[in-house]
Amino acid sequence: MDRRQLLKGALVLATAAAEPLRAARPGPATLRDRAARKGLTFGSAVASYQLTGARDYAAILAREAGMLVAEYEMKRDAVQPEANRYDFSGADRIVAFAAANQMAVRGHTLCWYAANPPWLEADLTGPGLTTDRKRMYLREHVRTMLTRYRGRIPEWDVVNEPVDPTQGRPDGMRAKNVWSQALGEQYIDLAFHEARAADPHARLFLNEYGIEAATVPNERKRTAILKLLDRLKGRGVPVDGFGIQAHMRPYKDAFDDEVFARFLDQLRGYGLRISITEMDFSDRGGALDPARRDADMATAARRFLDVALACPATRTVMAWGMCDRYSWLSSPKASDGWPGGQLARVLPLDGALRRKPLYDAIGAAFDAAAPRRTA
Ligand code: XIL
């Protein structure tokens, strides 16, 4: 039945019985549906307390998101707070909620310079451990996570934020990183090989931020990433995908369609899938009038997504939360916070769960995208 027939049917029914009709009338398509129609996946970051404490929000997530990612509950400090104590409670709640609502899950993140538990940092940086033991610390964690969620997490950020050309290394790799300090660049090889062995069906990603804009620092990061990919591919490291975090700052960083499109094309040239993994649009630096900022963020999102989705390798778009109430940029600690307790306006829904122009821009970008072939 096409839409016109559906509506016609609805009209006939309307005169007969008002009540059931309201349920029968097709609601506006959700972002989840609009992405899925094109063979794309749209999803959101979440924390488990948001699923149990805020039923209205949980219902919105179930409708709007086809995929969830834990904002922090799969990071190592959350799952292994002590050497001999694991805590999967938050991660498991998210995975169970996703399963109950036919949503997929992205795994984030196995190996990162940040969010390591203090005991691990101390061991890795101290003199007491052999290199082999340090390698085991990484391998065991990767194996534990991929084994526990095998078959339920199709895509994992194996290594997060490996480059930072401002830290002085000629190769542009992040220097302040406990893993590279302990194991050298081989930590990346080790993590990917272990992940592949633990779940051969999972797609394995490198994930990076500050890589989207037409600025000199972003360009240096792109260069460092492409050189890293050359080395990894040369060594036969099983990298399947590249995650573009997309913590966008439209008032601070210039964006250029061609610059970004070229980078996506280069990633695609390595045979990689591309996921937009942590999308939000910081309104820091904008006008005091929230309507102005909302319009600007929507424009920036449409422009960014049009380029991202024009690349056939892009399959997934994850927002870093669905509503401003839960954005990391609204936290009092975040430097992006607005004065006077105002929330940052950076995600598709505002603090009261109302749709903003950003929501419509994301939907319109999905509507305009070319359909993906499956696989
Ligand atoms: C952030 C979360 O949003 C915060 O709640 C947490 O306290 C710190 O981490 N890059 C990443 C994400 O890969 O994991 C980070 O998430 C944001 C930057």
Side-chain angles (χ1 to χ4, degrees):
M1 204 189 284
D2 69 22
R3 201 177 141 73
R4 202 171 325 133
Q5 282 171 310
L6 252 180
L7 287 174
K8 217 163 106 197
L11 277 177
V12 175
L13 271 173
T15 48
E19 261 322 288
L21 174 68
R22 211 167 293 147
R25 185 181 293 156
T30 63
L31 295 180
R32 176 181 183 159
D33 297 335
R34 290 159 89 177
R37 275 181 202 157
K38 300 299 173 71
L40 296 162
T41 301
F42 173 75
S44 174
V46 71
S48 62
Y49 79 90
Q50 297 158 4
L51 299 175
T52 44
R55 300 306 304 169
D56 50 349
Y57 186 59
I60 286 175
L61 279 177
R63 271 202 314 275
E64 296 286 346
M67 189 179 231
L68 292 179
V69 58
E71 187 174 349
Y72 46 79
E73 284 157 299
M74 286 192 193
K75 292 172 185 169
R76 191 154 185 180
D77 57 355
V79 299
Q80 199 182 3
E82 290 161 48
N84 296 313
R85 186 165 68 84
Y86 288 86
D87 180 357
F88 299 107
S89 55
D92 284 355
R93 272 201 295 276
I94 291 170
V95 171
F97 180 87
N101 293 286
Q102 293 85 47
M103 307 153 107
V105 180
R106 266 197 112 245
H108 175 79
T109 177
L110 296 170
C111 183
W112 192 17
Y113 76 90
N116 291 304
W119 67 266
L120 179 66
E121 295 235 347
D123 274 5
L124 286 175
T125 52
L129 289 189
T130 63
T131 303
D132 246 20
R133 198 66 209 120
K134 292 176 185 175
R135 287 166 60 90
M136 280 311 293
Y137 272 14
L138 179 55
R139 296 180 58 191
E140 275 170 8
H141 175 66
V142 171
R143 183 161 287 272
T144 301
M145 297 303 283
L146 270 87
T147 308
R148 184 175 187 89
Y149 298 112
R150 189 155 41 204
R152 289 188 285 177
I153 298 193
E155 151 167 357
W156 271 101
D157 290 331
V158 177
V159 170
N160 198 27
E161 303 179 351
V163 307
D164 186 345
T166 67
Q167 294 189 354
R169 289 181 54 107
D171 59 7
M173 298 298 286
R174 181 181 288 276
K176 294 180 206 138
N177 179 346
V178 281
W179 293 111
S180 65
Q181 281 159 355
L183 301 172
E185 187 176 299
Q186 288 290 322
Y187 86 90
I188 301 180
D189 305 37
L190 196 63
F192 275 91
H193 283 299
E194 192 68 24
R196 176 65 94 231
D199 182 357
H201 298 297
R203 289 204 175 87
L204 308 180
F205 278 65
L206 276 175
N207 194 43
E208 189 56 88
Y209 75 100
I211 207 149
E212 308 84 0
T215 62
V216 171
N218 278 221
E219 182 64 27
R220 290 180 70 197
K221 273 193 151 177
R222 286 190 286 272
T223 304
I225 280 291
L226 294 172
K227 286 188 179 155
L228 172 62
L229 285 169
D230 278 338
R231 297 194 298 279
L232 295 178
K233 289 286 170 183
R235 297 201 294 265
V237 178
V239 183
D240 304 315
F242 191 80
I244 292 174
Q245 291 187 8
H247 291 296
M248 306 299 286
R249 308 187 304 175
Y251 294 126
K252 296 194 174 161
D253 301 328
F255 182 78
D256 183 285
D257 298 26
E258 276 169 33
V259 168
F260 187 47
R262 191 181 324 124
F263 179 55
L264 297 175
D265 224 48
Q266 286 166 316
L267 294 173
R268 186 168 163 243
Y270 287 91
L272 298 175
R273 276 210 181 212
I274 296 168
S275 291
I276 306 301
T277 53
E278 306 182 13
M279 186 176 73
D280 51 21
F281 292 85
S282 169
D283 59 349
R284 193 76 183 155
L288 268 177
D289 173 11
R292 266 296 303 279
R293 279 182 278 136
D294 284 357
D296 290 344
M297 296 307 98
T299 304
R302 181 67 201 270
R303 188 169 171 198
F304 170 75
L305 283 175
D306 279 352
V307 181
L309 297 176
C311 178
T314 308
R315 298 301 186 102
T316 298
V317 176
M318 304 293 288
W320 204 235
M322 278 303 287
C323 88
D324 293 334
R325 198 201 301 172
Y326 297 130
S327 169
W328 71 315
L329 301 179
S330 293
S331 82
K333 268 193 303 184
S335 54
D336 280 52
W338 286 82
Q342 282 182 59
L343 298 177
R345 300 182 66 86
V346 301
L347 291 173
L349 309 174
D350 72 6
L353 304 178
R354 288 177 301 234
R355 291 179 184 181
K356 293 189 307 184
L358 179 54
Y359 176 102
D360 297 324
I362 296 170
F366 289 143
D367 295 344
R372 266 58 185 164
R373 284 198 306 265
T374 44

